[in-house]
Amino acid sequence: MEMKAGINLHRATFAALAAMVACGESDAPPGPRAVETDSAGIGIVTSPPVDAVYARLAAQPALTVGEADGPEEYLFGRIASVARDGEANLVVADGRAGEVRIFDPRGRHLRTVGGTGEGPGEFGWLGGAWPVPEGGIVAVDGSRQRIARFGADGSLTGTADLAGVGEMGIFATRGMAGAGMVLSQVTELGVPTDAETSARDLEETLEEGSSVLFIRHGLDGGVVDTLARRPGQKSTMSTSGSGDMAMVQVVFVPFSPLPSAAGSPRAVAVTGGGLYEVALFDAAGEPSRILRLDEIPVPRTDEHLEALVRSPGRRVPDEESVRAMMDMYRDMPMPERLPAYSGLVFADTGELWARRYLVPGGETAHWDVFGANGHHLGRVEVPASLRIQEVSRGQVVGIATGELGVERVEVLDLIFG
């Protein structure tokens, strides 16, 4: 049988997959040392860190979609999201191309919808796309804060502008959050727009940091509710010159915690990023539970700062520049400890996966897994080059980045026991 370019399919038995799913069920009895308390009707589950491996990733992907060179539908610019529908088809949103590409369970291209542009069903920057239970796809234009809905055949069925973002807000989409809702993240910078605002006022505003709101929008674009507000990344500014030649540079403070969130049909999870703590909201948007690990983040060191400065994305030209940048950062109000969690994903069986902060240059990311009862079950080690998008059917679906920066979709089996 001829196999299309861009597909790498690894054979696995259905019996093994069924065993993986069965082992992954999270309705086992609570751990013996976990403590459950109540505060104003909200359950708090505090777990000691479990020094155990919850699961391992298979050494080789069960499926790979994407190539450095090949047919256009298998060439990705910047993958914004990946999700599987009820038939296990892959829905891949390419943010740079503005296209939603659908592949069958064997990785064969079925169709492409969308494209870059300003017309209906076109995108300025495609922030993500997800299947909906009744069939079809919901896609979010991150640059225009707009929803586009496509039918099961790929035809455009409607669009809607998202309310409540504001002119001074930075928008990002976090996926679906319950029936007929998308989860949005809006960062309010709080920067004054008054022309009379002094440089000192601006500096104080930046030092206070931004606020991050997590909002659920209906598919008509209306605000359903605002679930949570968390402090955003802190920043500072420096000025040089004077008068008409004055220059203002805004710099984000390294190691500032970044809030994150994830949604599922049953719940939404939010973390502030500074502590090993996650707040859960039920399908109605009410606070339902707080998950905590009895652990504090790692103290920040100069080694961490140097790793950040030397990370490939910064392209610092020489050693003198490295030292100068480190000195600049040392003058900033950096946190004494590293951030805690930097990402969240719900599994289809109810577990919550929480990604620990990874220092730039690290090769392995660690995910804490919490059961549906809120107790910490263990950890999963994942290559730093893999961005997990979904945990379902006993597998992990993620975006992998190769040595040349080429992105591809990978589906990897989870191995339990």
Side-chain angles (χ1 to χ4, degrees), residues 173-196:
T173 181
R174 292 295 180 181
M176 303 300 291
M181 289 181 285
V182 295
L183 180 61
S184 304
Q185 175 177 321
V186 178
T187 302
E188 294 182 334
L189 300 177
V191 177
T193 57
D194 187 351
E196 300 299 322

PDB file of all heavy atoms in Angstrom, residues 173-196:
ATOM      1  N   THR A 173      -6.557  32.383  22.935  1.00  0.00           N
ATOM      2  CA  THR A 173      -7.604  31.389  23.126  1.00  0.00           C
ATOM      3  C   THR A 173      -7.024  30.140  23.765  1.00  0.00           C
ATOM      4  O   THR A 173      -5.900  29.743  23.472  1.00  0.00           O
ATOM      5  CB  THR A 173      -8.294  31.042  21.792  1.00  0.00           C
ATOM      6  OG1 THR A 173      -9.328  30.097  22.022  1.00  0.00           O
ATOM      7  CG2 THR A 173      -7.308  30.471  20.788  1.00  0.00           C
ATOM      8  N   ARG A 174      -7.818  29.520  24.663  1.00  0.00           N
ATOM      9  CA  ARG A 174      -7.369  28.332  25.389  1.00  0.00           C
ATOM     10  C   ARG A 174      -8.179  27.091  25.041  1.00  0.00           C
ATOM     11  O   ARG A 174      -8.061  26.085  25.710  1.00  0.00           O
ATOM     12  CB  ARG A 174      -7.446  28.588  26.903  1.00  0.00           C
ATOM     13  CG  ARG A 174      -6.452  29.622  27.411  1.00  0.00           C
ATOM     14  CD  ARG A 174      -5.041  29.132  27.244  1.00  0.00           C
ATOM     15  NE  ARG A 174      -4.046  30.094  27.708  1.00  0.00           N
ATOM     16  CZ  ARG A 174      -2.740  29.889  27.641  1.00  0.00           C
ATOM     17  NH1 ARG A 174      -2.282  28.781  27.100  1.00  0.00           N
ATOM     18  NH2 ARG A 174      -1.895  30.807  28.082  1.00  0.00           N
ATOM     19  N   GLY A 175      -9.007  27.166  24.009  1.00  0.00           N
ATOM     20  CA  GLY A 175      -9.735  25.992  23.582  1.00  0.00           C
ATOM     21  C   GLY A 175     -11.171  25.993  24.046  1.00  0.00           C
ATOM     22  O   GLY A 175     -11.721  26.993  24.506  1.00  0.00           O
ATOM     23  N   MET A 176     -11.814  24.846  23.932  1.00  0.00           N
ATOM     24  CA  MET A 176     -13.210  24.707  24.306  1.00  0.00           C
ATOM     25  C   MET A 176     -13.336  24.550  25.817  1.00  0.00           C
ATOM     26  O   MET A 176     -12.431  24.055  26.490  1.00  0.00           O
ATOM     27  CB  MET A 176     -13.831  23.503  23.603  1.00  0.00           C
ATOM     28  CG  MET A 176     -13.735  23.547  22.087  1.00  0.00           C
ATOM     29  SD  MET A 176     -14.556  24.988  21.328  1.00  0.00           S
ATOM     30  CE  MET A 176     -16.283  24.606  21.653  1.00  0.00           C
ATOM     31  N   ALA A 177     -14.489  24.970  26.350  1.00  0.00           N
ATOM     32  CA  ALA A 177     -14.726  24.897  27.798  1.00  0.00           C
ATOM     33  C   ALA A 177     -16.204  24.636  28.048  1.00  0.00           C
ATOM     34  O   ALA A 177     -16.949  25.538  28.395  1.00  0.00           O
ATOM     35  CB  ALA A 177     -14.284  26.180  28.485  1.00  0.00           C
ATOM     36  N   GLY A 178     -16.614  23.411  27.840  1.00  0.00           N
ATOM     37  CA  GLY A 178     -18.007  23.080  28.020  1.00  0.00           C
ATOM     38  C   GLY A 178     -18.759  23.153  26.708  1.00  0.00           C
ATOM     39  O   GLY A 178     -18.220  23.517  25.659  1.00  0.00           O
ATOM     40  N   ALA A 179     -20.037  22.795  26.755  1.00  0.00           N
ATOM     41  CA  ALA A 179     -20.854  22.747  25.544  1.00  0.00           C
ATOM     42  C   ALA A 179     -21.066  24.149  24.972  1.00  0.00           C
ATOM     43  O   ALA A 179     -21.587  25.038  25.638  1.00  0.00           O
ATOM     44  CB  ALA A 179     -22.197  22.101  25.853  1.00  0.00           C
ATOM     45  N   GLY A 180     -20.600  24.357  23.744  1.00  0.00           N
ATOM     46  CA  GLY A 180     -20.857  25.617  23.060  1.00  0.00           C
ATOM     47  C   GLY A 180     -20.134  26.812  23.628  1.00  0.00           C
ATOM     48  O   GLY A 180     -20.610  27.944  23.489  1.00  0.00           O
ATOM     49  N   MET A 181     -18.964  26.606  24.254  1.00  0.00           N
ATOM     50  CA  MET A 181     -18.212  27.729  24.814  1.00  0.00           C
ATOM     51  C   MET A 181     -16.728  27.577  24.497  1.00  0.00           C
ATOM     52  O   MET A 181     -16.202  26.466  24.434  1.00  0.00           O
ATOM     53  CB  MET A 181     -18.402  27.813  26.330  1.00  0.00           C
ATOM     54  CG  MET A 181     -19.781  28.263  26.764  1.00  0.00           C
ATOM     55  SD  MET A 181     -19.932  28.356  28.578  1.00  0.00           S
ATOM     56  CE  MET A 181     -20.035  26.611  28.989  1.00  0.00           C
ATOM     57  N   VAL A 182     -16.059  28.730  24.323  1.00  0.00           N
ATOM     58  CA  VAL A 182     -14.604  28.736  24.187  1.00  0.00           C
ATOM     59  C   VAL A 182     -14.017  29.468  25.389  1.00  0.00           C
ATOM     60  O   VAL A 182     -14.643  30.366  25.953  1.00  0.00           O
ATOM     61  CB  VAL A 182     -14.149  29.416  22.877  1.00  0.00           C
ATOM     62  CG1 VAL A 182     -14.614  28.630  21.671  1.00  0.00           C
ATOM     63  CG2 VAL A 182     -14.641  30.840  22.795  1.00  0.00           C
ATOM     64  N   LEU A 183     -12.824  29.058  25.779  1.00  0.00           N
ATOM     65  CA  LEU A 183     -12.121  29.654  26.914  1.00  0.00           C
ATOM     66  C   LEU A 183     -11.113  30.666  26.387  1.00  0.00           C
ATOM     67  O   LEU A 183     -10.232  30.326  25.596  1.00  0.00           O
ATOM     68  CB  LEU A 183     -11.422  28.564  27.725  1.00  0.00           C
ATOM     69  CG  LEU A 183     -10.634  29.002  28.958  1.00  0.00           C
ATOM     70  CD1 LEU A 183     -11.537  29.683  29.976  1.00  0.00           C
ATOM     71  CD2 LEU A 183      -9.925  27.802  29.593  1.00  0.00           C
ATOM     72  N   SER A 184     -11.256  31.917  26.823  1.00  0.00           N
ATOM     73  CA  SER A 184     -10.390  32.995  26.359  1.00  0.00           C
ATOM     74  C   SER A 184      -9.523  33.518  27.499  1.00  0.00           C
ATOM     75  O   SER A 184      -9.935  33.520  28.657  1.00  0.00           O
ATOM     76  CB  SER A 184     -11.221  34.155  25.791  1.00  0.00           C
ATOM     77  OG  SER A 184     -12.069  33.718  24.752  1.00  0.00           O
ATOM     78  N   GLN A 185      -8.327  33.966  27.143  1.00  0.00           N
ATOM     79  CA  GLN A 185      -7.421  34.599  28.103  1.00  0.00           C
ATOM     80  C   GLN A 185      -7.182  36.028  27.644  1.00  0.00           C
ATOM     81  O   GLN A 185      -6.737  36.263  26.517  1.00  0.00           O
ATOM     82  CB  GLN A 185      -6.096  33.837  28.185  1.00  0.00           C
ATOM     83  CG  GLN A 185      -5.061  34.501  29.071  1.00  0.00           C
ATOM     84  CD  GLN A 185      -3.782  33.682  29.200  1.00  0.00           C
ATOM     85  OE1 GLN A 185      -3.821  32.468  29.295  1.00  0.00           O
ATOM     86  NE2 GLN A 185      -2.646  34.364  29.184  1.00  0.00           N
ATOM     87  N   VAL A 186      -7.491  36.981  28.500  1.00  0.00           N
ATOM     88  CA  VAL A 186      -7.321  38.391  28.172  1.00  0.00           C
ATOM     89  C   VAL A 186      -6.368  39.012  29.183  1.00  0.00           C
ATOM     90  O   VAL A 186      -6.632  38.998  30.395  1.00  0.00           O
ATOM     91  CB  VAL A 186      -8.663  39.143  28.177  1.00  0.00           C
ATOM     92  CG1 VAL A 186      -8.440  40.621  27.886  1.00  0.00           C
ATOM     93  CG2 VAL A 186      -9.617  38.537  27.160  1.00  0.00           C
ATOM     94  N   THR A 187      -5.252  39.531  28.708  1.00  0.00           N
ATOM     95  CA  THR A 187      -4.273  40.190  29.567  1.00  0.00           C
ATOM     96  C   THR A 187      -4.498  41.695  29.512  1.00  0.00           C
ATOM     97  O   THR A 187      -4.382  42.309  28.444  1.00  0.00           O
ATOM     98  CB  THR A 187      -2.841  39.868  29.128  1.00  0.00           C
ATOM     99  OG1 THR A 187      -2.650  38.451  29.154  1.00  0.00           O
ATOM    100  CG2 THR A 187      -1.825  40.522  30.052  1.00  0.00           C
ATOM    101  N   GLU A 188      -4.848  42.268  30.653  1.00  0.00           N
ATOM    102  CA  GLU A 188      -5.056  43.711  30.751  1.00  0.00           C
ATOM    103  C   GLU A 188      -3.756  44.350  31.205  1.00  0.00           C
ATOM    104  O   GLU A 188      -3.302  44.139  32.334  1.00  0.00           O
ATOM    105  CB  GLU A 188      -6.178  44.025  31.739  1.00  0.00           C
ATOM    106  CG  GLU A 188      -7.545  43.533  31.281  1.00  0.00           C
ATOM    107  CD  GLU A 188      -8.637  43.906  32.260  1.00  0.00           C
ATOM    108  OE1 GLU A 188      -8.324  44.083  33.460  1.00  0.00           O
ATOM    109  OE2 GLU A 188      -9.800  44.026  31.850  1.00  0.00           O
ATOM    110  N   LEU A 189      -3.133  45.127  30.333  1.00  0.00           N
ATOM    111  CA  LEU A 189      -1.837  45.719  30.647  1.00  0.00           C
ATOM    112  C   LEU A 189      -1.947  46.859  31.640  1.00  0.00           C
ATOM    113  O   LEU A 189      -0.994  47.163  32.355  1.00  0.00           O
ATOM    114  CB  LEU A 189      -1.165  46.204  29.366  1.00  0.00           C
ATOM    115  CG  LEU A 189      -0.901  45.123  28.309  1.00  0.00           C
ATOM    116  CD1 LEU A 189      -0.293  45.749  27.064  1.00  0.00           C
ATOM    117  CD2 LEU A 189       0.005  44.039  28.867  1.00  0.00           C
ATOM    118  N   GLY A 190      -3.094  47.516  31.669  1.00  0.00           N
ATOM    119  CA  GLY A 190      -3.270  48.621  32.606  1.00  0.00           C
ATOM    120  C   GLY A 190      -2.459  49.840  32.261  1.00  0.00           C
ATOM    121  O   GLY A 190      -2.226  50.712  33.115  1.00  0.00           O
ATOM    122  N   VAL A 191      -1.982  49.957  31.014  1.00  0.00           N
ATOM    123  CA  VAL A 191      -1.166  51.096  30.609  1.00  0.00           C
ATOM    124  C   VAL A 191      -2.072  52.298  30.365  1.00  0.00           C
ATOM    125  O   VAL A 191      -3.017  52.216  29.573  1.00  0.00           O
ATOM    126  CB  VAL A 191      -0.367  50.777  29.335  1.00  0.00           C
ATOM    127  CG1 VAL A 191       0.432  51.996  28.879  1.00  0.00           C
ATOM    128  CG2 VAL A 191       0.552  49.600  29.583  1.00  0.00           C
ATOM    129  N   PRO A 192      -1.817  53.416  31.034  1.00  0.00           N
ATOM    130  CA  PRO A 192      -2.661  54.609  30.835  1.00  0.00           C
ATOM    131  C   PRO A 192      -2.591  55.108  29.404  1.00  0.00           C
ATOM    132  O   PRO A 192      -1.537  55.091  28.773  1.00  0.00           O
ATOM    133  CB  PRO A 192      -2.067  55.628  31.807  1.00  0.00           C
ATOM    134  CG  PRO A 192      -1.245  54.835  32.776  1.00  0.00           C
ATOM    135  CD  PRO A 192      -0.750  53.646  32.022  1.00  0.00           C
ATOM    136  N   THR A 193      -3.720  55.557  28.887  1.00  0.00           N
ATOM    137  CA  THR A 193      -3.761  56.117  27.525  1.00  0.00           C
ATOM    138  C   THR A 193      -3.760  57.635  27.537  1.00  0.00           C
ATOM    139  O   THR A 193      -3.710  58.271  26.492  1.00  0.00           O
ATOM    140  CB  THR A 193      -5.021  55.618  26.795  1.00  0.00           C
ATOM    141  OG1 THR A 193      -6.181  55.982  27.563  1.00  0.00           O
ATOM    142  CG2 THR A 193      -4.990  54.105  26.633  1.00  0.00           C
ATOM    143  N   ASP A 194      -3.816  58.245  28.733  1.00  0.00           N
ATOM    144  CA  ASP A 194      -3.839  59.700  28.860  1.00  0.00           C
ATOM    145  C   ASP A 194      -2.500  60.282  28.414  1.00  0.00           C
ATOM    146  O   ASP A 194      -1.428  59.874  28.880  1.00  0.00           O
ATOM    147  CB  ASP A 194      -4.114  60.067  30.324  1.00  0.00           C
ATOM    148  CG  ASP A 194      -4.329  61.568  30.508  1.00  0.00           C
ATOM    149  OD1 ASP A 194      -4.094  62.322  29.541  1.00  0.00           O
ATOM    150  OD2 ASP A 194      -4.720  61.961  31.619  1.00  0.00           O
ATOM    151  N   ALA A 195      -2.552  61.238  27.525  1.00  0.00           N
ATOM    152  CA  ALA A 195      -1.323  61.857  27.012  1.00  0.00           C
ATOM    153  C   ALA A 195      -0.541  62.568  28.105  1.00  0.00           C
ATOM    154  O   ALA A 195       0.659  62.793  27.975  1.00  0.00           O
ATOM    155  CB  ALA A 195      -1.662  62.842  25.889  1.00  0.00           C
ATOM    156  N   GLU A 196      -1.227  62.931  29.215  1.00  0.00           N
ATOM    157  CA  GLU A 196      -0.561  63.651  30.293  1.00  0.00           C
ATOM    158  C   GLU A 196       0.102  62.717  31.302  1.00  0.00           C
ATOM    159  O   GLU A 196       0.697  63.164  32.273  1.00  0.00           O
ATOM    160  CB  GLU A 196      -1.593  64.530  31.026  1.00  0.00           C
ATOM    161  CG  GLU A 196      -2.273  65.571  30.151  1.00  0.00           C
ATOM    162  CD  GLU A 196      -1.269  66.543  29.568  1.00  0.00           C
ATOM    163  OE1 GLU A 196      -0.312  66.912  30.275  1.00  0.00           O
ATOM    164  OE2 GLU A 196      -1.424  66.931  28.390  1.00  0.00           O
TER     165      GLU A 196
END
